[in-house]
Amino acid sequence: MQTIKITTSQNIDIDYQLASLGDRILARLIDYAVFVGLYLAVLIILGVVGGFVNYYNSNGQNIGMYILFGAWFLLCLVYDLVSEIFFNGQSLGKRAMNIKVISLTGARPRVGQYLLRWIFRIIDFGITGGSAAIITVALTDKKQRIGDIVADTTVVNLSPKSSINELALAPPPAGYVPRFTQVTLLTDSDIVLVHDVIRNYVVTRNKMVVYKLAMKLKAYLNVTYSSEINDYQFLKIVVDDYNSLAAKGES
């Protein structure tokens, strides 16, 4: 699976897995299923409660059906924009497939970026019937549809490449020199927890969790580090140091 490196505003490089074309198509199909299910549900409910959908005007036109269809169409029209703004880059389909929209700037996508993606749906899915989106996602290095290219966004897969334990206890590159030998006071389960917090930060950007864990580790290990190293980087160093020293101890 292809990856992309994003540099955050804190100068932290984070590797994301790009969402595949298949994942994005399945997410869209799930959203379409939601649209259809919602329409049928409302149709049934309104048909049972007072026969609203059978309301006719003096010319014999079924006004109730027009109103119902108009409300449903409006909901479908703004669904992606509203859900991505309020659910951090995810629609129900994206959440089901564990993918989300991110900004290539490293910051959380702005409302303007979500709006641009939404506007260019006219080309990606409307005028071209989805062919433009499929072609551009398939051919671009960052798996972007036209709306993503204009908005400087892409869609990534949040699923881990392998188990947390496997990633957390993976040895660092050859020649790695540990900075904090005190990490030998930690256990494998401690390192798995640290890695889980790192992975959680990548997904949620919850800085407070990273800060609290970094402070606890500093106190427990009785270590200090320069201001050039932020809390996130410290946690990554702890994991690499532990794995490096553990590998040397086993050899």
Side-chain angles (χ1 to χ4, degrees), residues 46-47 50-58 60-67:
L46 294 181
F52 173 79
V53 294
N54 293 320
Y55 174 74
Y56 294 88
N57 63 9
S58 58
Q61 295 175 311
N62 191 339
I63 300 301
M65 287 297 294
Y66 286 132
I67 295 175

Side-chain angles (χ1 to χ4, degrees), residues 100-173:
K100 68 176 290 186
V101 179
I102 66 166
S103 172
L104 296 181
T105 64
R108 182 169 179 168
R110 303 183 305 276
V111 173
Q113 288 177 287
Y114 288 132
L115 183 60
L116 279 174
R117 293 186 84 251
W118 179 72
I119 291 174
F120 274 83
R121 288 178 60 81
I122 298 174
I123 298 176
D124 283 321
F125 303 107
I127 298 174
T128 64
S131 60
I134 292 174
I135 292 172
T136 53
V137 169
L139 297 181
T140 54
D141 292 337
K142 299 174 182 177
K143 300 297 183 184
Q144 296 169 290
R145 63 177 176 86
I146 296 174
D148 286 317
I149 296 172
V150 175
D152 203 25
T153 59
T154 190
V155 179
V156 297
N157 193 319
L158 302 179
S159 301
K161 298 178 183 177
S162 54
S163 69
I164 294 174
N165 292 57
E166 181 182 346
L167 288 171
L169 302 177

Side-chain angles (χ1 to χ4, degrees), residues 20-36 75-81 83-84 90-97 99 101 117-118 121 124-125 129-130 133-134 145:
S20 68
L21 177 59
D23 286 342
R24 296 179 70 159
I25 291 176
L26 285 174
R28 176 49 45 187
L29 291 176
I30 291 172
D31 287 330
Y32 285 154
V34 171
F35 297 158
V36 174
L75 177 63
C76 294
L77 188 64
V78 301
Y79 167 80
D80 286 281
L81 176 62
S83 60
E84 288 179 1
Q90 290 184 304
S91 63
L92 292 176
K94 288 186 177 69
R95 180 162 297 187
M97 296 303 300
I99 62 178
V101 179
R117 293 186 84 251
W118 179 72
R121 288 178 60 81
D124 283 321
F125 303 107
I134 292 174
R145 63 177 176 86

